[in-house]
Amino acid sequence: MSSLTLPYGRGELAFELDHSYSVHTPKLPITAPDAANVVSDALDRPISSPPLAEIVRPGEKVLLVASDITRPVPYDVVLPPLLFRLLQAGVSAGHITLIFANGTHRLMTREDARIILGDELEASLRWVNHDAKDSENLVYLGKTGRNTPVWVNRRAVEADRVILTGAVVHHYFAGFGGGRKCLVPGIAGMATALANHRLVLGKSCRGLDSACRPGNLTDNPVHEDIMEACRMLPPDFLLNVVLDPGHQVLHATAGHWHEAHLAACRLADEIYSVPLDEPAQLVIASCGGFPKDINFIQSHKTFDNVFPAVSPGNVLILFAECTQGVGSADFLSWYEHTCPQSMGKALSAAYSIHGHTALTAKSKAAAVRVILVSSLEPALVDKLGMIPATSAEDALKKAYTLLATTAPKTYIFPCGSLTVPTISPHK
């Protein structure tokens, strides 16, 4: 008998297993490197690009594009080496502006900025919000080959230099975050973001494109469309980091906006991708606790990540407290559609980001049996197409009944929001 605990909200859930299992976690170093040195080394060894000193000129206006609070980056460590090199190259502090790439998210507050910039940088660095709905501050650049209208923040068009910053993680339909996503949809218009995200539905607009998955950039229409949009206003430089689950810097890459990003993607994949020989009958996954499981929409990232590890028709137990409910009334409204096909048809007629999340969740819940351990009302869990459980023990009991065995092949993911299992092709 083995005793285990997995993160759940701000606490843990304990349970016991009396059969064999395997635990899958990110491949993290024993000791974290010195973050400032890691960032400085990356800036001194740019990938496919001259160093910053050969790119920027005295008197130029520089726009730094930074992630918002939904994608926490320790900017108090990441930005100083970059700012030092800009000042050293003759750029005045008054000509440096940081814009938060809010995408379709809410605007950053001053308290948000203090959290991710630190008090000193927040007070000394001029920063502004990007508002995707502010048409007066958007500039139209044209359409992509997939008919996405490209609107970007006016500050990026008017700046002499644009530098992208942020963290690279697996993204559930764009392949990876970071890099080009900081520009589009980060500082793009709402019409741009919606048109780009809609490509996840595939050419038929009746399902989900199989190329739109975590870790995949090959033939991924969402990624390729973003790349085409970015080439209309190519960034001058990039600084991306790979973080551990506690948001501490593990790696950094700098240089060309595309090539340096790809290098960071490879590093992130080495840490967070977990190859498996075959799917299991039972997967037990935690989002990693608060805030990864603050609501169901956030918890869905874990559901999406670990889904390939479950063989069709078998069982996934998801630990997700969801103290703030599903996360959006709009998301829940899509569940008025009784099947994924109906939902997909409605989504193709009127695309919605929360509708897309609802479709992916509903499609996966139709393919495997999901037991959700959460604080959500049982009736609400039923509406999501899942089986409610009051505890880990209750979930296991229900799983064994569904599987008709008390010794299923079992995988455990303590940090499912970051861990991305991939099934190795049979040789």
Side-chain angles (χ1 to χ4, degrees), residues 122-141:
E122 190 281 325
S124 62
L125 183 63
R126 179 170 58 190
W127 62 267
V128 297
N129 270 304
H130 168 67
D131 185 348
K133 298 177 182 178
D134 181 9
S135 59
E136 293 298 315
N137 282 304
L138 297 174
V139 175
Y140 180 66
L141 301 181

Side-chain angles (χ1 to χ4, degrees), residues 43-265:
L43 290 168
D44 291 340
R45 301 172 185 175
I47 297 170
S48 302
S49 167
L52 270 176
E54 297 178 20
I55 295 175
V56 298
R57 297 287 182 270
E60 289 187 330
K61 295 178 181 179
V62 176
L63 184 70
L64 305 179
V65 187
S67 302
D68 69 2
I69 200 164
T70 66
R71 292 165 173 81
V73 175
Y75 278 119
D76 57 336
V77 175
V78 172
L79 285 183
L82 176 62
L83 292 170
F84 174 77
R85 283 160 178 78
L86 289 174
L87 296 174
Q88 201 174 40
V91 178
S92 68
H95 284 169
I96 300 173
T97 300
L98 180 144
I99 185 169
F100 284 115
N102 297 316
T104 60
H105 307 153
R106 67 166 176 82
L107 304 188
M108 293 275 287
T109 66
R110 187 172 182 186
E111 182 57 30
D112 293 333
R114 284 176 178 149
I115 290 172
I116 61 175
L117 294 178
D119 290 342
E120 185 177 339
L121 267 183
E122 190 281 325
S124 62
L125 183 63
R126 179 170 58 190
W127 62 267
V128 297
N129 270 304
H130 168 67
D131 185 348
K133 298 177 182 178
D134 181 9
S135 59
E136 293 298 315
N137 282 304
L138 297 174
V139 175
Y140 180 66
L141 301 181
K143 285 189 176 183
T144 68
R146 290 179 169 87
N147 214 35
T148 296
V150 181
W151 293 87
V152 298
N153 193 284
R154 183 176 303 279
R155 289 178 182 271
V157 176
E158 295 176 351
D160 296 302
R161 303 294 173 189
V162 175
I163 299 175
L164 305 183
T165 70
V168 173
V169 295
H170 287 83
H171 188 278
Y172 83 102
F173 63 86
F176 289 93
R180 74 284 184 239
K181 280 187 90 267
C182 220
L183 189 69
V184 176
I187 58 169
M190 184 65 74
T192 305
L194 292 177
N196 172 257
H197 288 13
R198 190 177 185 276
L199 296 172
V200 77
L201 298 176
K203 294 179 180 178
S204 67
C205 291
R206 291 293 184 273
L208 297 171
D209 195 306
S210 61
C212 297
R213 63 181 188 273
N216 181 59
L217 299 178
T218 304
D219 298 325
N220 184 325
V222 173
H223 164 68
E224 291 178 348
D225 191 58
I226 295 173
M227 289 293 294
E228 186 178 351
C230 282
R231 291 188 184 103
M232 296 180 183
L233 188 70
D236 296 277
F237 200 76
L238 172 142
L239 173 60
N240 272 173
V241 292
V242 178
L243 307 176
D244 69 12
H247 306 139
Q248 300 304 305
V249 175
L250 294 177
H251 299 288
T253 62
H256 186 273
W257 65 275
H258 177 48
E259 297 300 327
H261 175 247
L262 288 182
C265 291

Side-chain angles (χ1 to χ4, degrees), residues 1-5 14-21 23 396 412:
M1 184 74 72
S2 299
S3 297
L4 300 100
T5 58
F15 58 99
E16 294 183 337
L17 293 179
D18 60 3
H19 58 84
S20 61
Y21 60 89
V23 179
L396 284 167
I412 297 176

